[in-house]
Amino acid sequence: RCWYNPTMARAPVIDLPEVQFSDEGPIRHLHLDSIWIQGSMLIDAPTVLVHEYIQRMMAWLLFVEADTVPKRQAVQLGLGAASLTKFCYQHLKIKTTAIELNPKVLAACRGWFKLPPDNARLKVVMGDAWEQIRKPHWHGVVDALQVDLYDHEAAGPVLDAPAFYADCRQALSDDGCMTVNLFGHKSSFERSVKNMAQAFGEDALWAFKPTREGNTVVLAQRTPSRPSRNLLQQRSDTIQRQWGLPAAKWLRVFKPVQA
């Protein structure tokens, strides 16, 4: 495994971790000053979603009709290796915004993870995720809010309070969804679900079984619904056929949860 530290064009930012990447065969990993992997990319296929949990962050597609997707908007809280940002922008072809605190992460994504430059449909906003998502211009306009916020130790989610989830809910459109990655030895599924339920209501929550690596993806709907099994099956078939995601498998490990 080869290690690299990208040359940064910006001045150092106090208290923000250094960014490195490592190449492991055909896969490139992003690290924040530690061995923990913050995201990955297939070097020869940079828009493919490598990790199973990242694929599951796209489960909001189960709750919308495929023909409405191009008109929708996605926001990622935490850029990581830009996997979700690139997928939403280049495969779904929807308006996509990522909010990232560390300018070194953005520089690494542009330099080493093939993130395109900002344009009319793609934007990276530098700043604190909570401060940004609560701004009025986001209220009611986000169809897919993907939350993957971890520090360099990856011990647990950085933001996991009921008030944070309430602001996330406020940003969602009427049929919008939030997906959250829960991981780390300080992460508590029960606590996080309880906090989300305070903001969204218990009947709005769905969850996957944990991956082999220990990531659990939870989905929260702005407007709770219970699509029929047949409808979910139809949508999963479309998702798999149209965007190459393993959505048929999702239905075996994805169900409503109670806080």
Side-chain angles (χ1 to χ4, degrees):
R1 181 181 291 190
C2 302
W3 287 85
Y4 304 84
N5 191 347
T7 301
M8 310 310 299
R10 296 172 180 265
V13 178
I14 297 173
D15 295 329
L16 292 177
E18 293 298 323
V19 178
Q20 301 91 22
F21 72 83
S22 62
D23 285 350
E24 186 176 19
I27 299 177
R28 177 166 293 168
H29 303 299
L30 178 75
H31 307 267
L32 298 182
D33 205 21
S34 75
I35 63 171
W36 292 103
I37 293 172
Q38 300 283 346
S40 304
M41 177 187 74
L42 279 173
I43 296 171
D44 292 335
T47 62
V48 169
L49 298 181
V50 175
H51 296 295
E52 188 172 39
Y53 85 90
I54 288 288
Q55 297 168 0
R56 293 177 177 184
M57 295 285 282
M58 299 300 301
W60 61 273
L61 290 167
L62 289 168
F63 295 90
V64 299
E65 295 297 335
D67 61 359
T68 71
V69 170
K71 301 176 182 178
R72 295 183 180 273
Q73 178 171 204
V75 172
Q76 293 86 41
L77 301 186
L79 183 59
S83 299
L84 291 170
T85 304
K86 290 184 295 185
F87 191 91
C88 288
Y89 170 68
Q90 295 184 333
H91 287 276
L92 301 187
K93 300 190 182 304
I94 63 178
K95 188 174 182 180
T96 306
T97 302
I99 298 173
E100 172 58 47
L101 180 64
N102 190 341
K104 304 173 189 178
V105 170
L106 175 58
C109 286
R110 290 262 158 80
W112 303 107
F113 289 86
K114 301 187 179 180
L115 176 66
D118 285 4
N119 56 49
R121 202 164 45 81
L122 174 67
K123 187 176 182 180
V124 178
V125 175
M126 302 309 303
D128 178 84
W130 194 348
E131 290 180 3
Q132 293 295 325
I133 201 60
R134 69 192 303 180
K135 290 186 175 181
H137 70 265
W138 289 119
H139 292 178
V141 301
V142 180
D143 300 295
L145 181 62
Q146 297 164 311
V147 183
D148 194 8
L149 295 167
Y150 285 82
D151 62 16
H152 63 288
E153 296 180 348
V158 173
L159 296 174
D160 192 36
F164 167 67
Y165 292 127
D167 286 330
C168 288
R169 183 181 184 275
Q170 185 168 242
L172 294 177
S173 60
D174 287 343
D175 60 352
C177 294
M178 174 185 74
T179 48
V180 182
N181 172 39
L182 300 177
F183 175 76
H185 65 266
K186 291 184 180 178
S187 176
S188 166
F189 174 81
E190 291 78 12
R191 181 188 66 240
S192 295
V193 166
K194 182 178 179 180
N195 291 343
M196 290 181 212
Q198 288 188 41
F200 284 83
E202 293 183 9
D203 57 347
L205 304 183
W206 299 66
F208 284 92
K209 292 181 180 178
T211 65
R212 285 176 296 177
E213 295 77 19
N215 299 82
T216 302
V217 172
V218 178
L219 180 144
Q221 297 176 277
R222 171 67 186 259
T223 305
S225 68
R226 288 290 184 267
S228 69
R229 186 75 181 181
N230 286 340
L231 180 56
L232 289 174
Q233 186 64 61
Q234 291 172 15
R235 287 176 175 171
S236 71
D237 292 344
T238 300
I239 293 166
Q240 194 149 330
R241 181 178 63 254
Q242 193 160 333
W243 296 300
L245 295 168
K249 181 181 177 182
W250 293 349
L251 299 186
R252 299 196 295 269
V253 291
F254 183 60
K255 64 180 182 180
V257 298
Q258 297 295 324

